[in-house]
Amino acid sequence: MDIGEIEQRLRTRLSEEFEIDIDLIKPDAVILSDLGLDSLDIVDLAVLIDRLFGVKLTREEMVSANTFGKLVSIISSKT
């Protein structure tokens, strides 16, 4: 799966699962402030990523993935 496919699948599911306007989900969008997720949502996001891509992210990876684009890059590097 290429990075474009990962980005599109994750954008769609983030929009559906967390009721985020899909137009807000851009590579430079900060997950906590721009997308409005909180610390509990981040746990749900990690589970969603595991289900969608079969990728388990560490706590450190989740913390370092502060933007949507960084998150997509980390997932891409593990698939």
Side-chain angles (χ1 to χ4, degrees), residues 44-77:
D44 292 338
L45 177 57
V47 171
L48 176 67
I49 290 167
D50 186 21
R51 282 196 337 249
L52 277 176
F53 305 107
V55 171
K56 292 190 185 302
L57 299 181
T58 66
R59 176 172 153 57
E60 292 78 21
E61 289 169 327
M62 289 301 293
V63 168
S64 71
N66 60 336
T67 65
F68 179 73
K70 286 182 186 176
L71 183 60
V72 169
S73 292
I74 290 170
I75 295 167
S76 176
S77 72

